[in-house]
Amino acid sequence: MTAPALHLYTDSSPNGFKITIALEELTVPYLLHHVRIDQGAHRHPDFLALNPHGRIPVLHDADTGITLFESAAILLYLADKTGRLLPADPAARWEAITWLMFHSASMGPLLGQRVHAECFAKDRHDAAIQRYRRLSEDTFAVLDARLAAREWLAGEQFSIADIATFGWMHIARIAEFDFSQYAHLSAWHLRASLRPAVQRGIALPQPATGP
């Protein structure tokens, strides 16, 4: 039996879940390598040779010899390789890419800072907490408006934009950041969470736990 060409190096984190969800949606064979960040595995020389920044996820494609880090780049690569998870129509395709970039540049980093400030910082700074609450709520409102008349972020098709956004909204729910006031965003989150591939993806390499 031929070994899978795709090797995913990841841990249980919002950025890692994006790629496990995508791979499960695509139903392509892959090998999962659990990089245990709590044990410092992301600082091991072997892993740093794959990603000098020492962050997960990393994807290596043995068929092409390509190694990628940064979750948005990996999602785009998988969509390009398989011809799936991005709409074929140019307008819808670029809508999906735009919302993927919105997530990568705005929503994801802001939620990451909010999780740190509210859940993990040893010294709590109320000004920082309020800042990141306000900024993340702004992104929730933008997403809610976008989803008011659409099932998915790029329209009718579940795409890498939804996968990237769900990765962090899943963690927002675990961290008990209440976004129930955003009815369209909440309904989208429920739709995505019911997809079998999403359910498998957020359990790999193991489910995330709260702070």
Side-chain angles (χ1 to χ4, degrees):
M1 182 176 178
T2 304
L6 295 176
H7 292 250
L8 175 63
Y9 300 81
T10 193
D11 201 355
S12 298
S13 80
N15 293 327
F17 291 146
K18 298 173 193 176
I19 312 306
T20 49
I21 290 171
L23 288 166
E24 291 297 319
E25 285 281 349
L26 293 167
T27 63
V28 294
Y30 67 98
L31 285 176
L32 191 151
H33 305 268
H34 192 175
V35 181
R36 297 182 180 275
I37 293 174
D38 60 347
Q39 298 177 15
H42 60 306
R43 296 301 179 191
H44 192 278
D46 288 346
F47 184 74
L48 292 174
L50 299 170
N51 180 3
H53 196 203
R55 302 290 184 90
I56 61 94
V58 171
L59 183 77
H60 174 71
D61 187 342
D63 281 345
T64 62
I66 292 173
T67 299
L68 295 147
F69 55 90
E70 293 295 337
S71 57
I74 296 172
L75 288 172
L76 285 166
Y77 180 81
L78 290 172
D80 185 67
K81 181 180 177 73
T82 63
R84 295 170 57 196
L85 296 178
L86 264 180
D89 173 72
R93 178 183 180 88
W94 282 104
E95 283 186 340
I97 293 172
T98 296
W99 286 98
L100 173 66
M101 295 302 114
F102 172 76
H103 169 80
S104 299
S106 299
M107 180 199 163
L110 289 171
L111 276 174
Q113 293 298 324
R114 181 174 173 182
V115 167
H116 174 76
E118 288 197 36
C119 304
F120 294 110
K122 293 181 180 179
D123 299 317
R124 290 179 61 86
H125 296 280
D126 288 340
I129 290 171
Q130 292 305 316
R131 170 181 169 78
Y132 289 117
R133 282 182 181 174
R134 175 176 57 82
L135 292 174
S136 62
E137 291 286 331
D138 287 347
T139 68
F140 293 164
V142 169
L143 290 166
D144 190 65
R146 173 67 181 175
L147 292 161
R150 296 170 180 83
E151 185 173 6
W152 305 111
L153 286 168
E156 297 180 358
Q157 183 176 331
F158 184 76
S159 74
I160 56 176
D162 300 288
I163 291 172
T165 303
F166 185 87
W168 266 106
M169 292 306 297
H170 174 62
I171 296 302
R173 178 61 58 83
I174 289 175
E176 298 183 350
F177 296 166
D178 182 17
F179 54 89
S180 60
Q181 64 179 300
Y182 303 102
H184 307 299
L185 178 60
S186 296
W188 165 89
H189 181 270
L190 178 60
R191 285 195 297 275
S193 69
L194 293 176
R195 296 175 70 91
V198 171
Q199 294 174 3
R200 294 193 300 271
I202 59 174
L204 296 168
Q206 59 189 37
T209 58

